[in-house]
Amino acid sequence: MGKPSSVVTMADVARFAGVSTMTVSNVINGRPRVGPETRDRVLAAIGELGYQVNLAARHLRAGRTGVVGLAVPELERPYFAQLAARLADRFEAHGLRIVTERTGASREGEMDAVAFSRLRMYDGLILSVVDIDPAELGQLRTDAPVVMIGERALPSRFDHVMMDNVDGARQATAHLLATGARRIAMIGGDPTGSATMPALRAEGYALAHTEAGVPVDQELNVRCSFGLQDGYDGIRALRDRGTAFDAVFALTDVLAMGALRALADAGLRVPDDVQVVGFDDIDEAAYLVPSLSTVNPGHEEMADAITALLTAQLGSPGGDPKELVVPAQLVLRGTTKPAA
């Protein structure tokens, strides 16, 4: 039997599969009251007839789409890709799907993500905040459940989940100092910033030096973006200007990966000549040669917290907003030496 030219209905699927429309509905909605053979027959009928669920009509009837938006600065950065995967797993357990969009780390992209979240038919929104002004964010009108992630100070009306950038960077730098390193290059830091990831990690770097009684040499700080080439170029810049260093704290694992390649090209051995610590503990870090010492910012705990906060808002809107800081943990691997 070929596919009909007219729009296929649930009743058409039921007739084709020899079941009731309620059985078809149960299969489509994942209800457990259908046996495996019947379920397979209904799915085969759906595929044969080309039946498509009318999500818009379902939204109007139920007031939900079953979709949560995740707006992040970049889709190509491993940290955000892996965060999206973790959240997708958790929200699927609640019968929800994740749709990911890119803000470009711009004010306009972040404002649009909040302002148009309802038009995009999201039941709720998770927004990674980088560039938006907190005052503007506080004036946005939205009745959709929202959870913010990121380092910026935000209006108290939103749930907010943060990683402990300062302490994570302090742990990384303190370990390098404990191994005897005294000239630790910082790739990607911005000591002059305020409440941004580069500024907070630079604060942790400086704090560890203060605690160890070791002065910070600003010549060791390389400000840059956060791509592989930036990490590579950061090491090249230090060497080109003759700045001596015996360790590297890279503000992201991607920067650290670029730095490792630059060190190898320069004939420097890691960790014998130069130690390296990254930040983010992306999946690839454990598989480098040598494997990368890094800071785990609490991936699982962060995904758990985001999911719990958003599903709580979906189930019972109007609760008091919460701000959670997830602790970071240093993970020691092959790019660093044992503490003295």
Side-chain angles (χ1 to χ4, degrees):
M1 180 176 178
K3 296 180 182 179
S5 58
S6 59
V7 175
V8 179
T9 67
M10 191 180 296
D12 295 328
V13 175
R15 281 192 296 271
F16 192 94
V19 299
S20 69
T21 55
M22 179 58 72
T23 298
V24 176
S25 176
N26 287 339
V27 171
I28 291 170
N29 290 285
R31 300 186 185 113
R33 297 188 289 273
V34 183
E37 292 183 5
T38 302
R39 178 179 178 277
D40 290 345
R41 193 161 71 248
V42 170
L43 291 176
I46 289 172
E48 177 70 20
L49 298 176
Y51 174 71
Q52 295 181 342
V53 179
N54 190 335
L55 289 177
R58 181 185 292 181
H59 173 65
L60 290 173
R61 290 195 301 270
R64 292 282 181 85
T65 63
V67 176
V68 170
L70 171 64
V72 297
E74 302 170 35
L75 300 179
E76 61 271 26
R77 277 182 57 184
Y79 171 80
F80 290 115
Q82 291 163 26
L83 173 64
R86 289 184 176 93
L87 290 173
D89 288 342
R90 285 160 172 80
F91 279 105
E92 278 180 14
H94 292 275
L96 297 164
R97 294 185 178 274
I98 286 281
V99 171
T100 305
E101 60 179 274
R102 179 176 62 182
T103 65
S106 70
R107 169 193 170 278
E108 292 77 11
E110 292 168 11
M111 292 278 283
D112 286 351
V114 178
F116 298 125
S117 60
R118 274 301 191 196
L119 294 180
R120 292 176 178 133
M121 298 181 72
Y122 298 157
D123 291 338
L125 176 69
I126 304 158
L127 173 64
S128 177
V129 181
V130 177
D131 194 51
I132 198 168
D133 186 281
E136 289 182 296
L137 192 58
Q139 294 171 3
L140 278 176
R141 295 185 177 275
T142 177
D143 57 353
V146 177
V147 173
M148 302 288 182
I149 57 178
E151 292 71 35
R152 301 295 299 273
L154 298 174
S156 59
R157 59 183 281 214
F158 297 111
D159 284 344
H160 187 192
V161 180
M162 296 178 286
M163 64 180 68
D164 197 339
N165 285 284
V166 174
D167 189 61
R170 183 200 63 77
Q171 290 182 50
T173 309
H175 177 75
L176 292 172
L177 291 166
T179 66
R182 287 297 177 267
R183 293 191 57 78
I184 303 170
M186 178 172 58
I187 309 297
D190 183 7
T192 64
S194 174
T196 62
M197 180 274 280
L200 293 172
R201 294 183 188 178
E203 181 182 340
Y205 167 88
L207 179 59
H209 280 80
T210 299
E211 291 174 345
V214 177
V216 172
D217 183 352
Q218 293 302 325
E219 288 295 313
L220 291 167
N221 179 39
V222 178
R223 298 187 195 181
C224 61
S225 296
F226 300 101
L228 285 166
Q229 188 66 47
D230 299 302
Y232 187 94
D233 291 343
I235 296 298
R236 290 288 302 272
L238 288 169
R239 289 181 54 77
D240 287 349
R241 65 182 185 232
T243 303
F245 58 96
D246 54 10
V248 173
F249 170 48
L251 264 69
T252 70
D253 287 350
V254 172
L255 283 174
M257 291 162 68
L260 286 169
R261 179 54 192 255
L263 293 169
D265 286 355
L268 295 170
R269 298 168 300 163
V270 177
D272 297 333
D273 300 323
V274 179
Q275 300 183 72
V276 178
V277 179
F279 199 118
D280 287 338
D281 196 22
I282 61 175
D283 293 344
E284 293 83 352
Y287 295 92
L288 300 175
V289 180
S291 56
L292 179 64
S293 294
T294 182
V295 176
N296 184 318
H299 293 300
E300 304 302 329
E301 296 85 353
M302 196 158 190
D304 285 343
I306 293 167
T307 305
L309 289 172
L310 194 59
T311 54
Q313 289 189 53
L314 290 171
S316 180
D320 292 333
K322 298 176 177 61
E323 183 174 89
L324 302 176
V325 179
V326 176
Q329 181 177 3
L330 181 63
V331 180
L332 297 177
R333 297 193 180 104
T335 56
T336 51
K337 302 173 184 177

